[in-house]
Amino acid sequence: MIVDIPTSEDFKEAGLHLLHSAWEQVFDLFTEFDEFAHYIEEASEEDPDQEDEAARYWEAAKQNLTISYSTVHQAVEFLLKAKIAEVSPFLLLGGSPSTWPSGCDSHDRPFSDFRMINSEDLIKVVNTVHPEKLSPNFQTWFHELRTNRNKIMHTVDRRLSFSPDDIIPLILETSEMFVGARQFCDCHIDYLDKTPANSLKFIREGGHEPYLVLRLHDQITAAIERLSPSQVDKYFGFDKKRNSYWCPNCRETFECVDYFDPDSIESYVRTYQEKEKGQRNYRCFVCRHEGSLLDHPCDNEYCEGTRLDKETNRCLLCGYDTAL
């Protein structure tokens, strides 16, 4: 008998873990690069003719980004297997019964001992057994992903290199297809909440959620700088060209982080924007806070803000809590 049979949810959880791990790998590079950015800028000012240090860093990061690309491919395979397992996990078993593990007909054997169907067969199986067919565009996209991954795993192709600008939209597109439209932020917060450090009791009891939100904002700010306006709209429902504010709810969350510098908010993308152009109803695509505007001067004598968030009474410019 086959035992320890994984469910569709097991495959999906493993796939999403890999996907969000790849995202973290990319942004770990950004974090490290930012630690040297000031010194790189100073060096460039002192000697404009010297070799571009930023380019040197990202050239050295190519192998790390290649690993991230492979991780995304592995994530997609697990997510395809999750769709097949929705119908039956036994459809994932590959080979004829004669190739199954020795003694499986007389002793219990775990599912993982059996050979799985090949990667190139996943789409065919999904489209044969699952009610939701994969589109021709998806098949082309997956074929390119799989081809590049095979080159990475089996040879050295010097023409094959990836930048953060390649990996970020690849991850977001995968999330769109397998999780749902514009669900990445919610899904990534859930991933961060389950990381090893955040599983520790004393971390959780100390109020770890604000740190997760701040980390996500760091990442979203860096991502939006590198995505086109059409990509930002597709993945986050956010218009880069339209006026927006810092989210009052996120700002209040940031203030719970002991090392947060209020002045640093200037470096973050303003994620609080009209739900529909021309309306006064606003929404943050990161924390999902929704509110409306109130025309009222800020009580902070050093602030020239004239608009408050009606739900929190916070100034949308400086964040001051104005008494009404």
Side-chain angles (χ1 to χ4, degrees):
M1 181 177 176
I2 301 177
V3 297
D4 299 329
I5 302 168
T7 65
S8 173
E9 194 58 36
D10 291 331
F11 281 110
K12 184 175 182 179
E13 183 179 349
L16 291 179
H17 183 91
L18 288 167
L19 185 69
H20 289 274
S21 175
W23 175 272
E24 287 292 316
Q25 290 167 9
V26 173
F27 284 95
D28 280 346
L29 292 173
F30 281 128
T31 300
E32 183 178 69
F33 178 77
D34 285 346
E35 292 177 0
F36 302 116
H38 175 69
Y39 302 102
I40 291 173
E41 185 178 347
E42 280 189 343
S44 298
E45 290 174 353
E46 292 174 3
D47 183 7
D49 296 326
Q50 77 163 0
E51 187 176 346
D52 188 341
E53 289 284 85
R56 188 199 299 267
Y57 178 90
W58 290 109
E59 177 67 26
K62 281 183 176 180
Q63 191 60 39
N64 301 69
L65 293 167
T66 298
I67 293 171
S68 297
Y69 188 94
S70 297
T71 302
V72 175
H73 171 268
Q74 189 64 44
V76 173
E77 284 202 359
F78 271 98
L79 293 167
L80 287 171
K81 289 175 180 178
K83 294 180 77 69
I84 295 170
E86 284 180 28
V87 180
S88 171
F90 296 112
L91 290 167
L92 291 168
L93 298 181
S96 66
S98 62
T99 64
W100 289 356
S102 176
C104 66
D105 54 339
S106 56
H107 303 286
D108 290 351
R109 295 296 292 266
F111 186 89
S112 58
D113 282 357
F114 290 77
R115 177 170 161 255
M116 298 293 103
I117 58 175
N118 295 326
S119 174
E120 64 265 27
D121 294 327
L122 289 171
I123 288 179
K124 183 175 183 179
V125 175
V126 170
N127 283 346
T128 300
V129 304
H130 200 279
E132 297 176 6
K133 309 300 181 189
L134 300 169
S135 70
N137 287 340
F138 176 89
Q139 295 179 48
T140 301
W141 178 84
F142 181 67
H143 176 74
E144 179 182 359
L145 183 66
R146 184 173 168 274
T147 299
N148 287 337
R149 183 265 182 189
N150 285 343
K151 290 179 181 178
I152 292 167
M153 297 301 295
H154 302 299
T155 187
V156 175
D157 187 343
R158 297 187 184 279
R159 300 167 299 173
L160 195 65
S161 67
F162 305 101
S163 73
D165 295 352
D166 300 315
I167 308 296
I168 292 170
L170 180 66
I171 292 171
L172 293 170
E173 184 67 23
T174 303
S175 178
E176 287 285 301
M177 292 185 290
F178 289 98
V179 180
R182 300 169 179 171
Q183 297 297 309
F184 180 81
C185 290
D186 291 341
C187 198
H188 196 64
I189 283 287
D190 185 58
Y191 167 83
L192 291 174
D193 188 54
K194 296 175 181 175
T195 54
N198 289 310
S199 69
L200 297 174
K201 185 177 180 180
F202 77 92
I203 294 289
R204 301 187 75 82
E205 290 179 345
H208 68 301
E209 294 91 348
Y211 296 85
L212 309 187
V213 175
L214 184 61
R215 180 173 179 83
L216 180 58
H217 269 271
D218 281 328
Q219 297 172 344
I220 292 299
T221 296
I224 285 180
E225 289 177 358
R226 290 161 176 83
L227 294 170
S228 69
S230 62
Q231 288 174 320
V232 173
D233 179 57
K234 177 179 181 180
Y235 300 132
F236 300 116
F238 181 77
D239 189 341
K240 287 178 71 171
K241 299 179 180 179
R242 195 146 37 98
N243 185 45
S244 57
Y245 299 95
W246 290 296
C247 172
N249 185 59
C250 288
R251 190 170 200 154
E252 186 174 3
T253 301
F254 294 168
E255 292 170 359
C256 296
V257 176
D258 52 9
Y259 56 77
F260 177 70
D261 177 4
D263 292 336
S264 70
I265 199 168
E266 294 282 348
S267 64
Y268 290 92
V269 66
R270 303 182 184 203
T271 58
Y272 201 46
Q273 191 175 77
E274 297 166 320
K275 293 173 67 176
E276 298 291 340
K277 190 174 182 179
Q279 292 186 356
R280 292 175 70 84
N281 294 321
Y282 278 63
R283 173 179 172 275
C284 172
F285 71 84
V286 175
C287 75
R288 309 294 187 186
H289 171 72
E290 294 190 12
S292 54
L293 299 188
L294 183 64
D295 291 322
H296 191 285
C298 177
D299 281 355
N300 184 350
E301 61 179 310
Y302 302 106
C303 177
E304 298 179 353
T306 59
R307 285 184 168 176
L308 309 180
D309 179 60
K310 189 175 181 180
E311 279 61 40
T312 63
N313 292 339
R314 279 180 167 258
C315 173
L316 293 174
L317 181 61
C318 74
Y320 190 82
D321 190 353
T322 296
L324 295 179

